[in-house]
Amino acid sequence: MQQLPIDDAGPTQERLAKAGEYFQLVGRSRSSRRITMLDDPLGKAWLRQIIAATEYSALRRYALHWAAAGLQGPLTSVDLNRIYAFDPGQMSGLARTEAQLDHKRTYYAAKQAIGFRPSFVADQVACFGRGLQETGESLGLRSPYRARQKAAELLADAGHRLCAFFDALR
């Protein structure tokens, strides 16, 4: 592992050690240095060359639309005084802004365009951060090797179809 100078602008040495080889370092000087962490399952699939760079980019865009649509759920804590209370001001399920509605429409159109199984794998890996083996096992494959292989195949297929979908939007 390469040692980076310690500064306040980047990840700590412990974070880099935990990421292992799954990060990119761009730029030589301190002011132009940029570190991109790729230790999520989608980034690992790209760095292991399971998916191409264009497929990685399309899957990241798919996950961005998912997150910007507000489909990941709220990041709130439980209010113990109102456990089973209904809050009509929260409008769960409805888009709060027009931009969020546009992201939601794009996400669902992309999901429909790539098909059921590829979209399932794309959701699990790109949006939820599940590994390829775990995703393949949820498809019903018992062998860890075959589970990884099938999930990788479907992820690459989803990325390829998403490339075509996003190119058609231009």
Side-chain angles (χ1 to χ4, degrees):
M1 185 181 127
Q2 61 192 60
Q3 286 286 62
L4 299 174
I6 298 175
D7 63 351
D8 296 334
T12 63
Q13 292 296 327
E14 292 84 11
R15 175 68 176 101
L16 289 172
K18 193 170 203 167
E21 61 192 38
Y22 299 108
F23 68 92
Q24 278 186 335
L25 176 63
V26 179
R28 293 183 182 259
S29 69
R30 184 176 181 173
S31 63
S32 68
R33 187 176 70 210
R34 185 178 182 148
I35 301 171
T36 305
M37 305 305 288
L38 297 167
D39 57 344
D40 62 326
L42 187 61
K44 287 181 180 181
W46 176 45
L47 289 179
R48 291 177 181 161
Q49 297 179 349
I50 294 170
I51 57 174
T54 55
E55 294 167 351
Y56 172 78
S57 177
L59 286 161
R60 291 289 298 176
R61 187 172 174 185
Y62 178 76
L64 173 77
H65 284 295
W66 174 79
L71 297 172
Q72 78 277 5
L75 297 173
T76 59
S77 60
V78 176
D79 183 6
L80 296 177
N81 292 329
R82 297 177 50 101
I83 292 178
Y84 295 111
F86 173 71
D87 186 8
Q90 193 160 5
M91 298 187 308
S92 60
L94 297 176
R96 293 174 190 260
T97 63
E98 287 183 26
Q100 194 177 38
L101 180 62
D102 288 340
H103 286 292
K104 193 177 276 195
R105 286 179 179 160
T106 304
Y107 168 76
Y108 283 124
K111 187 176 179 77
Q112 185 176 13
I114 64 177
F116 179 74
R117 286 179 68 128
S119 69
F120 174 78
V121 173
D123 284 343
Q124 296 298 311
V125 177
C127 300
F128 306 147
R130 292 178 72 191
L132 290 176
Q133 181 176 337
E134 186 180 359
T135 302
E137 288 171 354
S138 66
L139 290 171
L141 299 161
R142 293 184 185 161
S143 166
Y145 172 77
R146 293 189 192 277
R148 277 192 309 274
Q149 289 300 106
K150 187 62 176 178
E153 176 186 319
L154 287 169
L155 184 66
D157 183 38
H160 180 73
R161 291 181 187 200
L162 283 170
C163 286
F165 174 78
F166 288 128
D167 284 342
L169 287 181
R170 289 183 191 178

